[in-house]
Amino acid sequence: MDYSSLNRFFFLAVGAFLLLLFTHFSLHLPSSPPFSRSSPFPFHGPSITAPKHATRNHESDIATHPFDPLTIQEINLARSILLSYSPFSSSPSSLAIHSLSLDEPDKSAVRSWKPGNTLPTRKAVAVTRYKNKVSYVLSMDLSTKEVVELAVPDSGYPTLTIEEMMSAPWAPMSDKAFNETITARGVRMSDLACLPLSLGWFGQREEGRRLIKIQCYSAEGTANFYMRPIEGLTVLLDMDTKEVVEITDKGSGIPIPSSTNTDYRYAVTKNNQPAWLKPPNPISIEQPAGPSFTVSEDHQVKWVGWDFHIKADARAGIIISGVGIIDPETGKRREVMYKGLVSELFVPYMDPSDAWYFKTYLDAGEYGFGLQAMPLVPLNDCPRNAHYMDGVFVTADGKPYVRENMICLFEKYSGDISWRHSESPITSMEIKEARPKVTLVARMSASVANYDYIVDWEFQTDGLIRIKVALSGILMVKGTGYTHTKDIPSDENTYGTLLSENVIGVTHDHFITFKLDMDVDGPANSFARVKLTRQATASGESPRTSYLKATRHVAATEKEAQVQLALYKPEEYHVFSTEKTTRVGNPTGYKVVSAGTAASMLDPNDPPQLRGAFTNNQIWVTPYNKSEEWAGGLFAYQSKGEDTLAAWADRNRPIENRDIVLWYTLGFHHVPCQEDFPIMPTVYSSFDLKPVNFFEKNPVLWLPPHQDKDLPVCSATMATT
Ligand SMILES: *[C@@H]1O[C@H](CO)[C@@H](O)[C@H](O)[C@H]1NC(C)=O
Ligand SMILES: *[C@@H]1O[C@H](CO)[C@@H](O)[C@H](O)[C@H]1NC(C)=O
C-alpha cells in the first residue's frame, strides 16, 4: 500500500486527472492511429485482440461535419483571436477561458447541408472572465475572425475552470487559522484532502462575489478519503481573490471516522477475498464476423439503419445529433432527433445544517459534466468489442488537451429477446420464432468528485432509443459521534442512515435533465398527451361497469405540455409529425416513456429549488430556440434561477405544429443503506424514446434468427476448477 506517499491535496477527480491533463500538454504522443481517418470502418482485422485503441493524435483533425467539435487547430485559432481582442489584448494573462466550444450553425444551415458540401461557417463560442472581475460570452467567426459579444446573464457565473477546481482546495492553507484548525482536529497537513464545493445561492450573502466552499477529509490509511470527513469545518473562499472569507468550525467534537474497510481498490481488496465465494467465470461477447457499426470521420456512426453524430462536450458530456433511421419499408432515411444531451443535473442533499445546507449541486453548469468524464476502463467499463472516442477540451489559458477514451461505442447482446412467438400444442402448429435483441450503446462516465454517473444512449433495431443513467461511486458522508443506531435518540434527526461507525450517509436526490430536440419526420411537430381515463358504462350497456379509454389532447402552449407524472393519472406523451401520417392515417410519432423516476419534493420557493426549477416537471416542451440549451441557465454557478427552463417555459409560448424541444428529467431519491459503503453498487434507471405509429408495422420483422453455425463455440482448452 503506497497511499501514504500520495499527494494529499486532492481535488475532484484527483491524481489520475492531473496526470492526464499534464501528460497531454507536454507530450506529443505517438501518432500511429489504429485505423485511417478516411476509412468508414473503424476496425481493421480482428479488433477483439485489441483491448483498447491506441492513443490518437488529434493535431491534424479537421472538421468534416457541421456538428464536429472544435478541432485542436480551431481551438488554437480561437485562442489567438481572443488574446488579440480588445480589452483582453492589453493583459492576456488576465484572461480566463471558462469554456470554448463550437458555436453550432443555425439549424436550417445544418439540415440543408449534405456530405460533400462546404461546411457552414465555423464559429466558436467562448465564456471568459477578465481580470477576475467581468464575465464575457463571445462568438467568434473562425474565417473572418470577427468577434461578437453576446448577452451575459443577469446573475450567476461561468462553469469553474479545471485550474480553479485544482487551486481552490489549496487556498485555505495560506491562512494560519485554517492550519491550526486542521492540526487541532488531529489531522496531519500531509494527510489532508480537500474538495471545492459550489455553494449555490441563498440570498444577499452569496451576491456580488464569486465564492466557493472548501471542506476537507483525512486521507490517512485509505484512498477513500471521502469516508473520513473532518465534519463541520467549512472554509468560505473568494474564487477571484483566493481570499479566505470565513472559516466555520462547528464539528470539533465529532470524531473522524476510521479508515477500516474503506478502501475499494482491487490492490487492497484482493488481500481480503472471502474464501467461501468464487467470482463468476470470465465472460465476453464474440462477434465472429466483426462489429456491424461504422464510425467515419471520428464522429459519424452508422448501425443497422441508424445514423447519428456523436461528440464529447465539456459541459454536456456526450452530444448526439442528427439522428435518423432507415425505414425498412421504403429504404428512405427518416429524421428522429436533431440533438440530444444532458442539459443539467440537480443534486440536493437533505440536511439543512450549517455544513450541509448548501450542497445542492448543478453538476453540468458548475463543474462541467464532460470535464469530469474520465477515461473509460477497457474490459470493465466497456466490453472488449468497444470502440473508444476521445474528447478535446480547453484549459483556462485556452490550450487544447485530449481526454482519451471518454466515450465508448459497442454492440451489446445481453441475452434479451427482440420479439418472439411459439404456438402452443392447442393449435398443433409447429411454430417457434424468436429473434435476439442486439443493441448499440454509446457510453460515458463522469466522476463528479465522489459520485460517478454513467450515461448510456442505447439504440435498438426496432427504432427505440433507451437513455439510461446509472449511479455509482462514493457517497458524500457526514461524520457523527454515533457508532450504533441504539444510541441515536428517537427525536434526533440525523438526515440520513448510519452506514458504519461514525459515518452517516445523508439522504439526497439526483436529477438528470435531458434536452431532446425531436424532429420526427422533420421539424414540424406537435406534442400530444394521450390520457387514459376510467369510463363508466351506461346502465345495462355491459356486464362491465368500467373500462379504460385513451383520449388524445394536443398541447397548444408550453404550460399544457408540463407534466408531473402520476401512476393514477396515466398518460402517453407523443411528439408527432404534423406533416406525415401512416398508410392508415395515424400521425407518425415518438413517445417518451418513463421507467422508475423521482420528482423533487422540495418547496418550490426553497432557493435550491428555484435554481433547480427545471425539475419542477418531469416533462416540458418548448419551442425551438438555439439559445435555450442549458436547463439551469448558461451561468449556473451561484445562479438565482432567473434563466432556467422553468423561466423560459413560463412565457407559455405556442408549441403546436412547429419545431419543438422535449425535456425529460430522470430522478432518483437516494436514502443511503449499508451496501453503499464504502462504494456504491450501481443503481440504474432509464427512459425510452419509442416509435409510436412511426413505422407501418413491426420494423424488425425482417431480422433473421441466430443459427448455430453463425456462432462458433469457444471452449476452454483446460477445465479450470
Ligand atoms: C499551512 O500548512 C501548509 C502545509 O504544511 C503550509 O505549506 C503552509 O505554509 C501553512 N500555512 C501557514 C500560513 O502557515
Ligand atoms: C430565445 O431564448 C432566449 C432565452 O430564453 C430569449 O431571450 C429570446 O427572446 C428567445 N428568442 C425567441 C425568438 O423567442
Side-chain angles (χ1 to χ4, degrees):
M1 285 190 258
D2 61 355
Y3 41 76
S4 57
S5 62
L6 282 178
N7 181 339
R8 293 306 181 206
F9 301 97
F10 294 81
F11 80 105
L12 290 174
V14 233
F17 188 114
L18 270 165
L19 199 68
L20 267 155
L21 199 64
F22 290 116
T23 330
H24 283 288
F25 289 147
S26 52
L27 292 183
H28 277 267
L29 296 155
S31 59
S32 54
F35 48 87
S36 92
R37 293 197 80 250
S38 54
S39 162
F41 294 93
F43 302 100
H44 280 177
S47 62
I48 51 168
T49 59
K52 167 186 185 301
H53 84 81
T55 303
R56 305 259 337 250
N57 181 343
H58 293 272
E59 295 283 339
S60 56
D61 284 0
I62 44 166
T64 57
H65 191 288
F67 288 130
D68 278 358
L70 294 183
T71 64
I72 285 182
Q73 293 170 23
E74 287 173 327
I75 290 168
N76 288 331
L77 174 60
R79 176 176 188 263
S80 70
I81 296 172
L82 281 175
L83 293 181
S84 56
Y85 180 67
S86 167
F88 311 146
S89 53
S90 62
S91 178
S93 63
S94 306
L95 180 68
I97 297 174
H98 287 251
S99 77
L100 177 59
S101 58
L102 177 73
D103 186 1
E104 276 184 17
D106 283 341
K107 192 166 170 178
S108 56
V110 178
R111 288 189 67 253
S112 59
W113 180 86
K114 302 261 175 322
N117 293 3
T118 52
L119 290 180
T121 314
R122 296 284 286 173
K123 287 187 182 173
V125 62
V127 175
T128 68
R129 272 178 76 72
Y130 188 53
K131 295 194 166 168
N132 289 324
K133 273 201 195 86
V134 192
S135 302
Y136 290 82
V137 184
L138 306 136
S139 174
M140 285 162 276
D141 185 316
L142 296 180
S143 329
T144 63
K145 304 195 166 65
E146 188 196 352
V147 180
V148 178
E149 287 189 25
L150 306 177
V152 174
D154 293 337
S155 70
Y157 296 104
T159 308
L160 297 172
T161 67
I162 290 293
E163 288 78 355
E164 288 174 338
M165 298 179 221
M166 284 162 60
S167 63
W170 290 84
M173 268 156 262
S174 63
D175 193 303
K176 204 157 151 274
F178 175 79
N179 283 16
E180 284 166 6
T181 311
I182 298 301
T183 312
R185 288 290 194 99
V187 177
R188 284 181 305 196
M189 292 306 285
S190 57
D191 286 325
L192 197 63
C194 300
L195 294 175
L197 306 176
S198 60
L199 78 182
W201 170 82
F202 295 87
Q204 289 279 301
R205 229 166 91 93
E206 282 81 21
E207 275 175 39
R209 64 205 291 199
R210 201 161 64 100
L211 298 164
I212 197 160
K213 287 187 175 174
I214 311 292
Q215 291 189 339
C216 302
Y217 301 80
S218 167
E220 187 196 4
T222 181
N224 192 351
F225 61 88
Y226 297 105
M227 292 300 125
R228 307 203 63 204
I230 303 173
E231 192 55 49
L233 174 65
T234 309
V235 179
L236 181 65
L237 187 78
D238 186 310
M239 271 317 280
D240 287 323
T241 63
K242 298 290 184 306
E243 171 206 345
V244 171
V245 178
E246 187 182 62
I247 299 175
T248 316
D249 188 356
K250 295 190 175 170
S252 54
I254 301 171
I256 295 171
S258 120
S259 62
T260 310
N261 292 330
T262 56
D263 215 312
Y264 49 87
R265 294 171 303 167
Y266 188 58
V268 176
T269 62
K270 76 178 176 196
N271 302 321
N272 195 17
Q273 294 286 308
W276 43 90
L277 286 176
K278 183 176 164 298
N281 290 332
I283 190 164
S284 186
I285 188 170
E286 284 168 40
Q287 298 188 288
S292 29
F293 68 95
T294 62
V295 183
S296 57
E297 308 292 351
D298 260 359
H299 300 291
Q300 297 164 47
V301 181
K302 284 198 157 98
W303 177 73
V304 202
W306 284 108
D307 71 278
F308 58 88
H309 185 282
I310 180 169
K311 65 180 167 192
D313 183 81
R315 182 153 178 173
I318 291 180
I319 297 181
I320 305 266
S321 313
V323 182
I325 189 167
I326 291 170
D327 191 322
E329 301 278 318
T330 61
K332 288 216 172 76
R333 178 186 188 273
R334 295 171 64 188
E335 290 173 85
V336 174
M337 184 174 76
Y338 183 74
K339 195 171 170 187
L341 61 134
V342 170
S343 176
E344 191 52 276
L345 294 91
F346 178 42
V347 188
Y349 283 76
M350 303 300 171
D351 179 340
S353 65
D354 181 74
W356 280 80
Y357 75 93
F358 64 89
K359 297 180 181 179
T360 54
Y361 305 106
L362 303 179
D363 282 332
E366 294 174 338
Y367 292 104
F369 202 50
L371 289 181
Q372 310 308 332
M374 298 296 123
L376 293 157
V377 183
L379 302 185
N380 293 283
D381 273 336
C382 312
R384 174 157 264 171
N385 61 338
H387 168 75
Y388 293 87
M389 295 173 157
D390 304 336
V392 175
F393 299 145
V394 182
T395 61
D397 64 0
K399 298 201 179 112
Y401 65 95
V402 175
R403 172 57 40 80
E404 267 187 11
N405 295 357
M406 182 186 141
I407 299 172
C408 73
L409 264 175
F410 59 93
E411 280 171 290
K412 175 166 135 184
Y413 173 57
S414 56
D416 285 345
I417 300 163
S418 183
W419 60 263
R420 79 170 320 284
H421 181 66
S422 302
E423 272 299 314
S424 82
I426 308 167
T427 62
S428 71
M429 292 169 77
E430 286 283 315
I431 296 177
K432 290 183 211 136
E433 292 283 342
R435 302 292 183 271
K437 179 187 275 190
V438 178
T439 60
L440 179 72
V441 177
R443 172 172 295 168
M444 64 155 281
S445 177
S447 304
V448 189
N450 51 313
Y451 249 94
D452 292 65
Y453 295 87
I454 303 150
V455 178
D456 280 5
W457 288 81
E458 184 169 9
F459 294 82
Q460 295 190 178
T461 52
D462 59 7
L464 183 142
I465 306 171
R466 175 156 297 168
I467 298 142
K468 200 154 138 181
V469 176
L471 310 175
S472 187
I474 302 167
L475 284 171
M476 190 158 261
V477 302
K478 187 168 73 160
T480 175
Y482 297 116
T483 55
H484 196 284
T485 55
K486 70 174 165 32
D487 302 327
I488 307 175
S490 59
D491 61 350
E492 183 171 328
N493 193 344
T494 59
Y495 308 107
T497 310
L498 190 66
L499 300 179
S500 180
E501 288 76 9
N502 307 111
V503 178
I504 286 174
V506 174
T507 302
H508 60 278
D509 286 341
H510 296 267
F511 300 103
I512 303 95
T513 296
F514 288 82
K515 176 182 177 180
L516 305 157
D517 181 359
M518 304 300 290
D519 277 6
V520 181
D521 280 320
N525 287 177
S526 282
F527 177 75
R529 300 172 73 151
V530 181
K531 282 193 203 304
L532 293 166
T533 46
R534 181 165 68 203
Q535 293 288 305
T537 53
S539 121
E541 181 189 352
S542 164
R544 291 270 296 271
T545 60
S546 63
Y547 63 101
L548 208 55
K549 187 180 170 200
T551 320
R552 196 178 169 89
H553 172 79
V554 177
T557 62
E558 288 178 289
K559 287 195 177 159
E560 289 178 30
Q562 295 173 3
V563 176
Q564 297 186 333
L565 297 170
L567 198 55
Y568 282 89
K569 286 185 180 154
E571 285 182 287
E572 287 197 355
Y573 308 101
H574 298 193
V575 174
F576 64 94
S577 168
T578 48
E579 287 174 347
K580 195 165 162 32
T581 58
T582 57
R583 195 177 70 248
V584 298
N586 292 308
T588 63
Y590 259 75
K591 62 178 174 181
V592 57
V593 186
S594 43
T597 192
S600 181
M601 302 298 289
L602 294 178
D603 171 6
N605 294 314
D606 196 352
Q609 191 62 37
L610 292 174
R611 306 175 66 232
F614 51 90
T615 63
N616 289 354
N617 300 298
Q618 287 73 57
I619 295 172
W620 312 69
V621 178
T622 56
Y624 174 82
N625 176 329
K626 190 185 162 193
S627 65
E628 293 177 350
E629 184 90 328
W630 309 111
L634 177 65
F635 283 10
Y637 201 93
Q638 276 176 259
S639 63
K640 301 181 192 175
E642 292 155 340
D643 184 26
T644 65
L645 168 59
W648 312 331
D650 208 35
R651 283 176 275 175
N652 205 20
R653 296 162 289 187
I655 51 167
E656 216 175 336
N657 188 20
R658 65 192 65 215
D659 193 357
I660 54 176
V661 176
L662 176 73
W663 306 78
Y664 184 83
T665 295
L666 183 58
F668 299 82
H669 295 304
H670 190 170
V671 180
C673 58
Q674 280 189 251
E675 289 80 359
D676 296 335
F677 180 92
I679 190 161
M680 295 178 290
T682 305
V683 174
Y684 286 92
S685 196
S686 64
F687 66 98
D688 294 343
L689 297 171
K690 185 177 189 298
V692 57
N693 304 316
F694 184 79
F695 296 109
E696 294 290 350
K697 60 172 191 283
N698 178 347
V700 281
L701 201 59
W702 63 276
L703 277 184
H706 276 166
Q707 306 286 351
D708 211 29
K709 67 173 170 45
D710 301 333
L711 301 166
V713 177
C714 298
S715 50
T717 51
M718 207 190 297
T720 49
T721 50

